Amino acid sequence: MTAAGKNRRREAVRRLGRDVVRDRQLYLLILPAVLVVFFFNYVPIYGLQIAFRDFKPSRGIWGSPWVGLKYFERFVKSPNMWTYVRNTLSLSIWGVLIAFPLKVFLALVINEIGAPRYKKFVQTVTYAPYFISVTVLISMVNLMLNKETGVLTLLFQAMGLHAEDWLTSPRSFQWVYVVSGMWQQTGWGAVIFLAALSGVDQQLHEAAMIDGATRVQRIWHVNLPSILPTVTIMFILQMGGLMSVGHEKALLMQNALNLEASELISTYVYKVGLQKAQYSFSAAVGMFNSVVNVVLMLTMNWIVKKMGQVSAL
């Protein structure tokens, strides 16, 4: 390094030191959050190496021998691998295609409610289900869809219609999972779009009304373009979690009859890792899942950039 480069580096260090001393109260304010993220998000990363080791708890991570890509190959060559991937993607894709547009639509509808008290009431009613635990949600689903005493079953019978056994049918598992998730999460997911809509310049609406635009036209030509960057970023982030379907809800809905549709990558990792204590293999499957998520997010981000839209990265 040249003398000029060393001088610039020393000056940058001095400047950083002065900034830290000057804004020490702000740095102290964010220090707890930084420590939490460091210890709970970054420190555990070293444990990912067990996916490449034949991990034995008695030997510890460093004492376990390296096996390379053995467990990744085992999962890829597994006869059920594509079934787990297909089931996971099926739930995620339907959730994106149906639930994501519904969140935007709900935000646009709530934004058009004029009476403040009624608007707050609708917001509260729609996002309150988000705070229901997964266990309670599945209990409600079981009560409503029970083959003998379920509310929907009795309603179908009263209408003279055939009521399918939704809880045990592999064909119905996907729709029960997606629809119950939409009911629980749509209202909460619309909150961020409502926040974006609150920042729309009202002068644009006034100009549109002067030009004779109807309410629907103002929603289409003013509100939607204004929140499009937020919608794009949220869509990219959701695509990045396409393979990250949680195991809790699927396990609670799972039974021997719908197993062919309800066995996901996350439930497989749970069973193999915690129930069968195959830690290295479950870590390898989980890492495979995460790598696919990253690839999907980067791909979608690249596509959005090529389309000229705002990207998340």
Side-chain angles (χ1 to χ4, degrees):
M1 183 181 294
T2 63
K6 292 181 179 178
N7 290 334
R8 284 196 298 269
R9 185 174 181 179
R10 282 195 291 266
E11 181 58 30
V13 172
R14 292 195 198 99
R15 193 182 307 115
L16 177 61
R18 289 195 298 267
D19 291 343
V20 171
V21 173
R22 184 190 62 200
D23 301 325
R24 58 187 179 278
Q25 293 179 339
L26 296 177
Y27 283 102
L28 286 174
L29 191 64
I30 67 171
L31 182 60
V34 172
L35 291 176
V36 168
V37 171
F38 176 74
F39 284 109
F40 290 96
N41 292 84
Y42 287 93
V43 172
I45 289 178
Y46 89 97
L48 291 178
Q49 61 182 294
I50 69 173
F52 305 95
R53 294 176 179 267
D54 185 13
F55 175 68
K56 303 296 182 184
S58 58
R59 297 181 180 179
I61 294 179
W62 298 108
S64 301
W66 289 97
V67 294
L69 300 177
K70 171 185 174 181
Y71 294 111
F72 292 93
E73 294 177 0
R74 174 181 164 187
F75 177 65
V76 171
K77 294 179 180 179
S78 170
N80 296 321
M81 179 257 193
W82 289 111
T83 300
Y84 305 148
V85 172
R86 184 190 68 239
N87 292 341
T88 303
L89 283 176
S90 179
L91 293 179
S92 297
I93 290 173
W94 280 116
V96 172
L97 293 179
I98 300 176
F100 188 81
L102 190 60
K103 294 173 185 178
V104 180
F105 176 77
L106 179 62
L108 292 170
V109 170
I110 293 176
N111 186 65
E112 294 300 313
I113 298 176
R117 294 182 63 181
Y118 182 58
K119 184 176 183 178
K120 291 180 180 178
F121 172 77
V122 174
Q123 277 186 268
T124 303
V125 170
T126 53
Y127 72 61
Y130 178 81
F131 299 98
I132 298 175
S133 70
V134 176
T135 305
V136 174
L137 174 66
I138 300 306
S139 298
M140 295 170 61
V141 170
N142 290 336
L143 288 174
M144 294 185 66
L145 301 181
N146 186 277
K147 180 64 175 177
E148 303 297 332
T149 60
V151 175
L152 287 181
T153 301
L154 297 177
L155 180 62
F156 272 55
Q157 291 176 352
M159 297 171 61
L161 300 175
H162 171 69
E164 187 176 354
D165 192 356
W166 291 289
L167 299 178
T168 59
S169 171
R171 182 177 56 185
S172 302
F173 172 84
Q174 176 178 286
W175 292 107
V176 174
Y177 188 100
V178 171
V179 172
S180 61
M182 288 169 53
W183 176 77
Q184 185 181 30
Q185 299 178 9
T186 299
W188 181 256
V191 170
I192 191 167
F193 301 120
L194 277 171
L197 286 167
S198 66
V200 176
D201 190 352
Q202 291 304 310
Q203 293 182 354
L204 296 175
H205 282 282
E206 294 171 1
M209 286 188 289
I210 292 173
D211 291 338
T214 63
R215 174 172 289 189
V216 175
Q217 288 174 329
R218 285 188 285 115
I219 292 174
W220 185 258
H221 295 288
V222 178
N223 285 344
L224 271 178
S226 298
I227 67 171
L228 186 59
T230 303
V231 173
T232 302
I233 291 173
M234 294 304 299
F235 181 73
I236 292 172
L237 294 177
Q238 187 154 349
M239 289 297 295
L242 203 61
M243 296 283 286
S244 299
V245 180
H247 67 278
E248 301 92 346
K249 184 178 177 181
L251 280 175
L252 290 171
M253 294 178 61
Q254 195 175 86
N255 55 60
L257 296 178
N258 65 17
L259 195 61
E260 65 179 85
S262 62
E263 190 71 292
L264 315 176
I265 291 179
S266 57
T267 59
Y268 183 63
V269 170
Y270 172 82
K271 292 176 181 178
V272 171
L274 295 182
Q275 295 183 353
K276 298 182 180 180
Q278 298 180 21
Y279 304 113
S280 293
F281 181 55
S282 62
V285 177
M287 183 178 288
F288 169 85
N289 199 35
S290 299
V291 169
V292 173
N293 277 332
V294 172
V295 171
L296 287 173
M297 184 175 67
L298 293 177
T299 302
M300 184 54 60
N301 188 72
W302 179 80
I303 293 173
V304 170
K305 271 187 176 181
K306 290 295 182 182
M307 294 172 61
Q309 301 296 333
V310 177
S311 64
L313 300 175

